[in-house]
Amino acid sequence: MFSKQLFKTYLKTNILGQKIIYKNKTSSTNTDAKEYLYNKNFHGSIFVSDSQYNGRGRRGSSWESTPDKSLTFSLLLHPEIKLKNIGLIPLVIGIGIVKGILISTSISAGLKWPNDIFLNNKKIGGILIETKQINNYISLVIGIGLNINEQINDISENIIKKTTSLSIHASKTFSRELILANILDEFEILFNSNLNSIIDIWESYCIHQNKNVTFHSKEEIHTGTFKGISENGYAKIEIDNNLKKFPSGMIIL
Ligand code: BTN
């Protein structure tokens, strides 16, 4: 069971994760967080569960997790950020996750556009960002699912070829509390920093820079060469010698 007390001993942030709403079992931590979309006092709160029975992934998929072994949580943000910079948030989140994992476990994961965390070409995590514009500001629910201590037989047969966990990779178990605390520390450090070099950092963790990629945007599938990230956080893809830009696909509530 996830220990709030242990998590707090590791956490070094001023704001992020200081308020934690923990449920042993819930439908989806993103749904839990959405109840506080209009409450500015909950900026930086996290919603954690040991077991989701209706976990949601991107593009309407479901998100599989294993009770007490996966890390499933959502971060609620009411940032004072200009609308045009909102596209940089998914980059911050991806980088913070990879750095938090590295600090906690010495494992180097990578990033796959738009919001996947990869290890040796297999997925270990995903990010589902849902946003809502309220008056002049944007609220975000950032849902993160990470495979931490799952063993091979915890993962469904239909995804085992393309999915792994930190534990399968390293043949040992890890503290979910430490990983979560380090990820939130990294988010806060990044959000408080000048975001000028965020694109270069994201590209340095990207597993397919200048490689051929196939991905979904809206209802279409595109194939091209991934050329990096534009200044507002869009993917730059070269398709038939034309450079096209695609947003990361945050869901608008
Ligand atoms: C993806 O499809 O890759 C995104 C997966 C996001 C899963 C997380 S788990 C915590 C939060 N609650 C949800 O229902 N989904 C997100």
Side-chain angles (χ1 to χ4, degrees):
M1 184 172 147
F2 184 89
S3 163
K4 265 178 23 169
Q5 283 71 22
L6 182 61
F7 163 73
K8 288 251 157 147
T9 64
Y10 294 135
L11 190 66
K12 298 195 283 283
T13 60
N14 286 320
I15 297 171
L16 303 190
Q18 289 300 331
K19 228 178 237 165
I20 166 164
I21 289 100
Y22 167 81
K23 286 185 183 172
N24 183 248
K25 194 170 184 172
T26 192
S27 68
S28 154
T29 55
N30 265 37
T31 309
D32 294 338
K34 272 197 265 179
E35 286 176 29
Y36 298 85
L37 265 178
Y38 293 88
N39 191 333
K40 276 199 153 189
N41 294 332
F42 280 75
H43 169 63
S45 301
I46 53 166
F47 299 78
V48 182
S49 181
D50 265 313
S51 173
Q52 289 189 136
Y53 51 84
N54 194 17
R56 294 185 281 113
R58 294 179 60 247
R59 301 189 306 108
S61 63
S62 57
W63 182 254
E64 206 179 272
S65 55
T66 308
D68 300 315
K69 295 184 180 175
S70 311
L71 188 54
T72 49
F73 68 99
S74 301
L75 170 67
L76 180 63
L77 293 180
H78 300 303
E80 307 284 330
I81 183 166
K82 290 202 184 95
L83 269 178
K84 77 175 182 47
N85 288 336
I86 207 91
L88 300 183
I89 289 188
L91 308 185
V92 169
I93 299 302
I95 294 167
I97 293 172
V98 170
K99 283 191 163 181
I101 290 175
L102 181 62
I103 291 167
S104 318
T105 67
S106 303
I107 294 174
S108 296
L111 295 169
K112 176 169 177 253
W113 178 262
N115 277 326
D116 289 341
I117 318 299
F118 263 64
L119 187 55
N120 290 344
N121 281 320
K122 289 187 170 190
K123 182 160 168 168
I124 55 159
I127 307 165
L128 176 69
I129 302 183
E130 300 183 279
T131 65
K132 174 113 192 142
Q133 184 169 358
I134 301 165
N135 302 325
N136 287 328
Y137 67 91
I138 291 274
S139 289
L140 299 107
V141 173
I142 300 168
I144 297 166
L146 291 174
N147 298 341
I148 310 287
N149 290 324
E150 295 84 347
Q151 301 307 305
I152 294 213
N153 51 13
D154 293 317
I155 297 176
S156 297
E157 241 171 66
N158 56 325
I159 57 169
I160 189 70
K161 283 211 175 92
K162 41 186 188 163
T163 308
T164 192
S165 73
L166 296 178
S167 187
I168 294 170
H169 172 82
S171 303
K172 56 180 180 176
T173 56
F174 296 99
S175 163
R176 294 176 300 152
E177 292 83 353
L178 178 65
I179 294 172
L180 178 54
N182 281 331
I183 288 174
L184 294 169
D185 287 346
E186 290 304 318
F187 288 166
E188 195 163 287
I189 293 167
L190 287 163
F191 279 128
N192 289 338
S193 71
N194 167 342
L195 292 181
N196 281 349
S197 51
I198 205 76
I199 291 170
D200 291 342
I201 302 173
W202 196 95
E203 288 176 355
S204 73
Y205 288 120
C206 174
I207 60 170
H208 50 67
Q209 183 77 2
N210 291 317
K211 292 191 178 152
N212 269 353
V213 289
T214 298
F215 66 98
H216 294 257
S217 175
K218 301 196 174 120
E219 292 311 309
E220 291 167 46
I221 295 183
H222 303 271
T223 300
T225 310
F226 190 86
K227 290 292 187 188
I229 305 284
S230 74
E231 60 181 21
N232 49 3
Y234 284 35
K236 297 186 287 188
I237 318 274
E238 195 177 86
I239 301 174
D240 300 331
N241 289 325
N242 290 319
L243 199 62
K244 295 197 172 166
K245 292 183 184 169
F246 297 91
S248 77
M250 289 187 266
I251 295 165
I252 297 163
L253 296 168

